[in-house]
Every structure is written in C-alpha cells, then in structure tokens.
Amino acid sequence: MWENPIFLLPGPTQVPPRVLRAMSAPMVNHRGPKFKELLDECIPGIQKIFQTKNDICLLTSSGTGGMEAAVANFIGRGEKAIVVSVGSFGYRFKAICDKYGVEAELMDFTWGTAADPQKVKERLQQDKNHEIKAILIQHNETSTAVLNDIEAISKAKGNHPALLIVDAISGLAAADLQTDNWGIDVVIAGAQKAFMIPPGLAMVSVSDRAWEAAEKINSQSLYFDLKAYKEFLQKGQTPYTPAISLVFGLKEALNIMLEEGLENIFKRHILYRDMVRQGVKALGLDLFVADDIASPAVTAVKAPEGIPAGEITRIMREDYNVVLAGGQQHLKDKIFRIGHLGYVQPMEIIAALAALELTLEKLGFKVTRGAAVTVAEKVLKERRD
Ligand SMILES: Cc1ncc(COP(=O)(O)O)c(C=O)c1O
C-alpha cells in the first residue's frame, strides 16, 4: 500500500520530487543547442560542489565507471600506484588497477579504522625515485562508514609528485572535500548518493597535473577516454549519448544543493550522523567506528550478539517499511548500515529509530522503548535552538 518506504540506504538515495519532475522533460538533441545550454548550466554547479576550478567530465556510468576512468587515463600500464584501502571500495580500486596492468600496492587498513596519513607519508618518503605515480583513496568508505581525512593525506603526500585520486562517490556533498585547496588531482562522484539523482551518472574532476599525466598515457579505454570528454565539453556535448533525463535531474539537484549552500549541507549531515549515533547508543548497541572518524553520510551499527544483522534489516523492511543496508563481505550479518545522506528529513531518522526499537524488541533484545527517539530528538532540538 505505501508507495514510499523510509529509504535510508547509503545509495541509491531518495530523489526529491523537484528532481523527479525535472527528469520528466521531453528529450532534446544531445548534439543540439538545448543540451549545450543544459551542460553549460550544470558544469559550474558541479564545480561549486566539488570546490574546484578543474575540468569536469560527466560520464554516463555508475560510480565505478568514474573510478575506472581515473585508472585508465592517469596511470599507465606497468606504472606503480598505492591503493590506500579501508574497506571494500578500496579493494575495488585495487581490482581496477589489476585489470589495467597498473602495479598497485595495497596499503590495507583494518576495516573500521581510517587511513593513517603518517604511514602514507613514510611509504612515499621511501620512494626516492618517484616511481609511485598515483595514490588512490576513498573519501568516505561506504562499506565501513569511515570518513578518511583527505586533507591530512594530501599533506602527508607533501611534494611527492604522485597524483592524488579520490573516490568521493559517497562522500561528496555530504562531507567537506576541498578539491583545489587540498590539492586533489582527480575526484570522482556519483549521482545516486548526496547528489540525490537516480544512479547512472559519474562526475570526474581533473587537475592540470592529471591532464599532463594523461597526455603521456594512451588511454586503455575507449568509452572512458577522458580526453574525448574534455574535447566534447568545449562543444557542450559528451562523446557518446548521455543519460539526458538524468542530466535534467542533475541540474535541478544542483539548484537544490546551491540554494541550501554547502556549509548548511555539511551541518545537516553532521546533525543526522549525531542523531543516529547517539540514538543507537541509547539502545545499548555498539557502533562499528569511533566518533572521530564517523561518516556523516552513513552509520554502521554492530548487530547484538546472537542476532544476525540481516534479520534486523528484514524486519525493519517487512514490518515497518524502513529500508536499511546490510554489511558487505565479512561484515555481512555483523553490521547494518543506516544511510543518512542526501534528501533525508530529520523526522525520517526519528521514525527509523522508533522502528529499530520495535524490531530489536521483536528479536528479543531488551530495549527501553523510546530511548533512541528521545536522545535523537534532544540532539535535533539542541541544534535547532
Ligand atoms: C565509496 C564508493 N565507491 C564506489 C562505489 C561504486 O559505485 P557504483 O555502485 O555507482 O558503481 C560506491 C557505491 O556504493 C561507493 O560508495
């Protein structure tokens, strides 16, 4: 009966009605003036959200396509790179590097911790001949709900000439990421996260240094050859037929984001993070990551002893129409994840916490009904007053 669940995934996220309406516009010629106008309006908006003056490549692909484009264009076959991993999406960067013949060294941090900038610094200091061409890292590791300190990683890199390539697919527009101020060469974002549009677009920002590297490399991919995207952008086009409806949606989503303003967006996500974390703690549940590295986009909660996380997410969905995510790989059934990025209202978080109380009670875990809701309301009230 209910068409809309309370949808708290860490992507895809809810799409605002304004964006849905914008996406229902009739088709335009992607080689004509209307699409050029649309793209010309979108690019400066994307640059504001990325906090950059760098070129933006708009790809019709999921986020992984953006990651693949970064590897295919900026690191040559046989060249060395470091993949700084704190979870499953770090492994994805490594898998892409392996496919493209990049000699990627995995710096593997324990899941649930953040990347240690000191370790990155020490590794780069050993690289006297500057053989390492790129450092690849996640901004927000969605699988573990950890926010890496990208500014500190950039400082740790110092003057080492390696490119800094950041997968900000689930972090951008949820947590601060200052592409230009922090000297990030390549940033990848995805549509279906804090950008609040359906899946199918990836955005990649490219610094001059990265373009210089690309000039020396024969891109190993045709579809993801970013030089073609740069060239076509001058004409207000993309090299191949773009997901036009999603670009209509993107324009409206950018309007919404810029009306709210980046500072307010970040504050709102921090509010949600704190409501969820404090609410969950009030129920006696343990969080998967420490407060100082906790993501403002998603929260990972440990399932209580003896209760599989999958049972919690199943009852939440079946009994209360609340959609949450489970754990990935070895964290399956160990954690569940509450996404709170993008088009989420505070009262949806309160409702989800209420449903969590009832779900845990049904599963035989002793809770004080109302405990999570009361604490989350307190956090909300304090920030609003
Ligand atoms: C941090 C991160 N990187 C990469 C991806 C992969 O993106 P996609 O599923 O859009 O290919 C995701 C998706 O959840 C993600 O959260």
Side-chain angles (χ1 to χ4, degrees):
M1 171 182 165
W2 311 112
E3 217 180 315
N4 287 341
I6 292 176
F7 197 74
L8 298 176
L9 283 187
T13 62
Q14 299 180 68
V15 180
R18 270 175 67 180
V19 172
L20 289 173
R21 285 194 293 274
M23 287 193 312
S24 67
M27 277 306 103
V28 294
N29 176 5
H30 64 296
R31 303 287 178 222
K34 286 210 170 124
F35 187 76
K36 179 181 186 315
E37 206 177 291
L38 182 61
L39 207 55
D40 286 351
E41 280 172 349
C42 284
I43 300 296
I46 299 172
Q47 285 171 320
K48 281 190 190 135
I49 303 296
F50 274 64
Q51 305 187 58
T52 189
K53 293 194 169 61
N54 289 341
D55 290 321
I56 302 290
C57 300
L58 184 63
L59 314 178
T60 293
S61 82
S62 81
T64 304
M67 295 168 77
E68 187 156 340
V71 173
N73 287 269
F74 306 119
I75 321 170
R77 184 169 281 275
E79 285 186 345
K80 288 194 167 66
I82 295 181
V83 171
V84 182
S85 175
V86 298
S88 79
F89 292 106
Y91 291 176
R92 185 159 307 174
F93 255 151
K94 173 78 170 85
I96 297 170
C97 287
D98 291 348
K99 272 260 183 254
Y100 279 82
V102 170
E103 250 186 67
E105 177 183 320
L106 190 68
M107 276 187 98
D108 201 3
F109 292 93
T110 309
W111 289 32
T113 67
D116 180 351
Q118 185 57 29
K119 294 240 163 69
V120 174
K121 186 174 181 173
E122 284 163 16
R123 179 63 191 91
L124 289 173
Q125 279 171 347
Q126 291 163 8
D127 181 39
K128 301 274 182 253
N129 298 330
H130 293 166
E131 288 178 359
I132 295 166
K133 299 298 176 201
I135 298 158
L136 302 111
I137 187 168
Q138 272 60 43
H139 175 215
N140 185 72
E141 175 50 71
T142 324
S143 64
T144 59
V146 164
L147 187 73
N148 275 323
D149 186 343
I150 299 297
E151 185 179 16
I153 296 289
S154 176
K155 283 193 183 137
K157 188 176 92 66
N159 292 328
H160 190 290
L163 296 175
L164 181 55
I165 299 178
V166 176
D167 161 7
I169 290 169
S170 64
L172 204 80
D176 197 14
L177 188 80
Q178 301 183 17
T179 303
D180 288 355
N181 288 345
W182 298 351
I184 313 171
D185 295 289
V186 179
V187 174
I188 305 137
Q192 78 277 21
K193 308 283 183 178
F195 274 83
M196 309 180 289
I197 49 180
L201 291 178
M203 292 153 266
V204 183
S205 75
V206 183
S207 71
D208 291 344
R209 259 165 41 85
W211 284 129
E212 277 165 33
E215 282 307 321
K216 296 183 205 121
I217 294 165
N218 187 12
S219 167
Q220 297 186 67
S221 169
L222 174 89
Y223 187 74
F224 291 124
D225 183 348
L226 293 181
K227 279 177 263 177
Y229 287 81
K230 186 183 183 191
E231 199 185 306
F232 273 75
L233 194 61
Q234 314 306 318
K235 301 188 268 184
Q237 294 179 17
T238 54
Y240 314 107
T241 313
I244 295 170
S245 303
L246 292 178
V247 185
F248 277 123
L250 173 63
K251 190 187 125 196
E252 191 59 9
L254 289 166
N255 289 341
I256 295 173
M257 286 191 269
L258 295 172
E259 280 161 22
E260 186 178 7
L262 271 183
E263 283 306 316
N264 291 334
I265 292 176
F266 300 149
K267 258 196 219 153
R268 185 165 56 79
H269 283 84
I270 286 170
L271 165 69
Y272 296 168
R273 177 196 69 190
D274 295 348
M275 286 171 72
V276 169
R277 287 176 72 82
Q278 294 190 32
V280 160
K281 272 192 216 166
L283 293 177
L285 296 183
D286 292 325
L287 294 160
F288 186 62
V289 308
D291 287 342
D292 59 337
I293 54 166
S295 163
V298 55
T299 295
V301 185
K302 288 186 191 167
E305 202 54 43
I307 301 179
E311 275 302 281
I312 297 173
T313 53
R314 183 182 65 78
I315 294 173
M316 292 285 281
R317 183 182 66 246
E318 288 179 1
D319 289 9
Y320 302 108
N321 209 17
V322 176
V323 178
L324 306 179
Q328 294 180 329
Q329 299 185 21
H330 67 272
L331 294 177
K332 186 176 183 313
D333 274 337
K334 300 276 189 294
I335 61 165
F336 61 93
R337 292 171 301 149
I338 305 174
H340 35 81
L341 71 168
Y343 193 65
V344 174
Q345 302 182 47
M347 282 303 151
E348 291 174 300
I349 290 177
I350 304 267
L353 288 171
L356 181 61
E357 293 174 355
L358 295 168
T359 298
L360 290 170
E361 199 176 89
K362 182 168 179 175
L363 288 166
F365 182 76
K366 205 170 165 326
V367 291
T368 309
R369 227 190 271 168
V373 167
T374 305
V375 170
E377 283 176 352
K378 187 166 173 284
V379 175
L380 176 63
K381 177 117 193 0
E382 279 167 6
R383 305 278 167 96
R384 285 279 165 92
D385 287 346

